[in-house]
């Protein structure tokens, strides 16, 4: 349950970062925006990682950590930002809400998790809640919106694979130091591309309000969000982590109403109720004790390992 709560909190905070992203997207290109977000996140997370008593990823894990960093902190933001160029935010959120389904199927195929009826039901109820909450934004679609929908599905698949493949690396080191190394590699890639393309040169002219939004994205929307996500992947199953993404568009809509004056209708309240119901259905497993969190399984295997 702590893993589920961490995933929900991570996705909820990530939804509020949408407001800061919107304010910066008018002045900064998508790649430079990702470089700012993850670069500042790396800077703020570095002293925390140095103070925590965690093991750094070992040399044999470096290739895997580098690959996951490029996958999630490099490729994912490019696909995500490119998707919103072709489609609307509501349609993009619906496409991203396919993450629990993709994660559940991928985890079952990779034998990282057992698919159960309650999880399937919870995922379907949650996706229905997201669709209902964003119903008003689905009526209009720009020409070629299907391209953005496909790109967002690709971003969801990238996030699903990261959620599954990062679990053993986080368990062997720790959520903070693993996140720091993976984020640093992805940020270095984005900063290099932004520098070559000239995007970093435009950062100097940003207004103080834009820098405040960038700082929020770096500290809250990057360092804190992805630490919580890494913590969650080792304390619960991949599907239960992924299903929490449904909270992201909900909190983004709430933040939009507060800061951007976007009005919410009855469908939002009904969709929010279905999202919460779906998470509860998927997270509760009465009488089922076979699916322990990854970290507990690992500790059990270590206890029974013979000496010598």
């Amino acid at each position: 349950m702590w893993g589920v709560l961490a995933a929900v909190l991570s996705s909820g905070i990530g939804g509020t970062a949408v407001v800061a992203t919107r304010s910066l997207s008018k002045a900064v290109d998508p790649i430079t925006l990702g470089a700012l977000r993850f670069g500042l996140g790396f800077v703020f997370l570095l002293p925390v990682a140095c103070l925590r008593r965690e093991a750094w990823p070992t040399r044999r894990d470096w290739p895997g950590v580098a690959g996951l960093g490029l996958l999630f902190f490099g490729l994912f933001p490019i696909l995500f930002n490119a998707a919103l160029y072709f489609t609307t935010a509501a349609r993009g959120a619906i496409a991203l809400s396919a993450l629990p389904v993709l994660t559940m199927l991928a985890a079952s195929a990779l034998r990282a998790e057992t698919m159960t009826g309650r999880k399937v039901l919870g995922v379907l109820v949650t996706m229905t809640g997201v669709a209902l909450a964003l119903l008003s934004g689905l009526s209009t679609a720009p020409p070629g919106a299907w391209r953005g929908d496909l790109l967002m599905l690709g971003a969801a698949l990238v996030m699903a694979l990261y959620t599954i493949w990062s679990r053993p690396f986080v368990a062997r080191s720790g959520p903070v130091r693993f996140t720091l190394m993976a984020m640093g590699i992805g940020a270095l890639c984005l900063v290099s591309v932004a520098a070559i393309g000239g995007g970093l040169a435009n950062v100097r002219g940003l207004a103080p309000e834009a820098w405040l939004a960038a700082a929020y994205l770096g500290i809250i929307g990057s360092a804190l969000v992805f630490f919580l996500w890494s913590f969650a992947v080792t304390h619960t199953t991949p599907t239960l982590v992924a299903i929490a993404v449904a909270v992201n568009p909900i909190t983004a809509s709430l933040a939009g109403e507060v800061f951007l004056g976007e009005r919410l209708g009855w469908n939002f309240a009904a969709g929010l109720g279905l999202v919460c119901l779906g998470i509860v259905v998927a997270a509760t497993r009465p009488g089922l004790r076979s699916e322990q969190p990854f970290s507990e399984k690992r500790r059990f295997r270590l206890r029974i390992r013979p000496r010598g």
Side-chain angles (χ1 to χ4, degrees):
M1 188 58 65
W2 283 113
V4 174
L5 292 176
V8 169
L9 183 59
S10 174
S11 298
I13 297 174
T16 64
V18 173
V19 176
T21 302
R22 287 180 182 177
S23 63
L24 278 175
S25 62
K26 299 178 181 179
V28 181
D29 63 274
I31 295 180
T32 306
L33 179 57
L36 275 176
R37 179 176 183 178
F38 297 135
L40 291 174
F42 175 84
V43 171
F44 289 118
L45 197 59
L46 179 60
V48 179
C50 293
L51 291 175
R52 284 182 64 90
R53 296 180 178 179
E54 292 181 357
W56 291 98
T58 60
R59 289 189 177 182
R60 68 185 180 92
D61 285 343
W62 286 359
V65 174
L68 289 170
L70 292 174
L71 181 71
F72 188 60
F73 296 102
L75 180 59
F76 176 81
I78 295 176
L79 291 174
F80 184 87
N81 295 331
L84 294 181
Y85 177 82
F86 291 103
T87 189
T88 62
R91 290 174 63 96
I94 295 298
L96 189 62
S97 69
L99 174 65
V101 176
L102 295 174
T103 303
M104 183 170 56
L105 294 176
S108 178
L110 296 173
R111 297 182 179 181
E113 180 182 359
T114 302
M115 188 184 304
T116 65
R118 293 186 67 89
K119 289 179 183 177
V120 174
L121 178 61
V123 166
L124 294 178
V125 171
T126 301
M127 291 183 63
T128 303
V130 174
L132 181 61
L134 303 176
L135 184 63
S136 59
L138 297 177
S139 57
T140 59
W146 60 271
R147 301 175 183 176
D149 298 338
L150 289 179
L151 287 172
M152 191 62 78
L153 285 175
L157 179 59
V158 166
M159 195 171 186
L161 294 176
Y162 173 84
T163 301
I164 297 170
W165 287 340
S166 63
R167 301 180 81 204
F169 295 96
V170 179
R172 284 194 292 266
S173 55
V176 176
R177 293 185 173 180
F178 167 81
T179 303
L180 177 72
M181 289 191 65
M183 184 184 297
I185 293 170
L188 180 61
C189 178
L190 292 175
V191 168
S192 301
V193 175
I196 295 174
L200 290 182
N202 300 326
V203 173
R204 301 175 182 177
L206 290 179
E209 296 80 6
W211 278 112
L212 183 61
Y216 179 82
L217 284 177
I219 301 174
I220 306 299
S222 183
L224 179 59
V225 163
F226 294 111
F227 159 71
L228 290 171
W229 191 265
S230 296
F231 175 87
V233 299
T234 57
H235 287 77
T236 188
T237 61
T239 299
L240 295 182
V241 174
I243 200 174
V245 172
V247 181
N248 188 288
I250 300 297
T251 55
S253 299
L254 287 173
E257 182 184 34
V258 174
F259 297 102
L260 302 178
E262 300 175 353
R263 295 184 177 181
L264 302 176
W266 65 268
N267 57 302
F268 176 82
L272 175 60
L274 285 179
V275 167
C276 296
L277 176 62
I279 294 175
V280 171
V281 169
T284 54
R285 301 188 296 272
L288 183 62
R289 303 179 63 181
S290 60
E291 290 188 80
Q292 296 174 338
F294 183 83
S295 57
E296 292 184 8
K297 289 183 178 180
R298 178 174 178 269
R299 288 196 296 267
F300 179 74
R301 287 200 300 268
L302 290 177
R303 286 198 301 268
I304 65 175
R305 181 178 297 174
R307 295 183 179 180

